Amino acid sequence: MTPRTPSPVPPEKLARRARIFTIFTAPVFAAMAFALVIFGLGNPTLLYAGLTLAALTVLLVIAAFVRSRAVRWTAFVVALVGAAVTVVSGFMTIPNDSGVAMTLLMGILPILALALFVLHNVARAAHPARA
């Protein structure tokens, strides 16, 4: 018996799935951004990371419903600038102990990278290129 390969998902169905995924994913990222901002009131590193994550969450919702290549590039720039500001802030606010800053950044930077990854893939799935 020959193995059956699944048929490819039609672009319309993939776009609908991406939008549904966004509806459930955006509140999770928003909650993480809110938590980082609240905890970041005493620590600028967490504050900058929370603001960056909040901006990426807004861009995630926009990317799912608006077809624009500029949204993905804007998200990429926001993530890079936010990560750079967070890293600089991490090392400037805790100058005597770089280990604490590195540990903090090892938790924050993957969250920002995950948000950018999800945003990029949702944007591509929600608006497939027409041939």
Side-chain angles (χ1 to χ4, degrees), residues 16-62:
R16 191 184 76 203
R17 287 180 181 175
R19 289 185 182 106
I20 292 170
F21 179 74
T22 300
I23 291 170
F24 290 105
T25 307
V28 173
F29 283 129
M32 286 192 304
F34 181 74
L36 285 172
V37 168
I38 292 300
F39 292 136
L41 294 177
N43 184 349
T45 305
L46 293 175
L47 180 66
Y48 297 139
L51 294 175
T52 303
L53 189 57
L56 288 175
T57 303
V58 170
L59 287 170
L60 171 66
V61 174
I62 292 171

Side-chain angles (χ1 to χ4, degrees), residues 28-131:
V28 173
F29 283 129
M32 286 192 304
F34 181 74
L36 285 172
V37 168
I38 292 300
F39 292 136
L41 294 177
N43 184 349
T45 305
L46 293 175
L47 180 66
Y48 297 139
L51 294 175
T52 303
L53 189 57
L56 288 175
T57 303
V58 170
L59 287 170
L60 171 66
V61 174
I62 292 171
F65 295 100
V66 177
R67 182 182 180 123
S68 173
R69 187 174 294 216
V71 173
R72 285 193 301 187
W73 282 106
T74 303
F76 186 68
V77 170
V78 165
L80 282 181
V81 169
V85 169
T86 301
V87 167
V88 169
S89 169
F91 285 110
M92 296 302 284
T93 57
I94 311 172
N96 295 332
D97 191 2
S98 295
V100 172
M102 281 303 297
T103 305
L104 191 62
L105 293 174
M106 284 174 32
I108 291 172
L109 295 180
I111 293 171
L112 296 178
L114 177 68
L116 182 63
F117 176 76
V118 167
L119 188 148
H120 176 72
N121 286 325
V122 163
R124 288 188 59 190
H127 307 291
R130 300 282 180 200

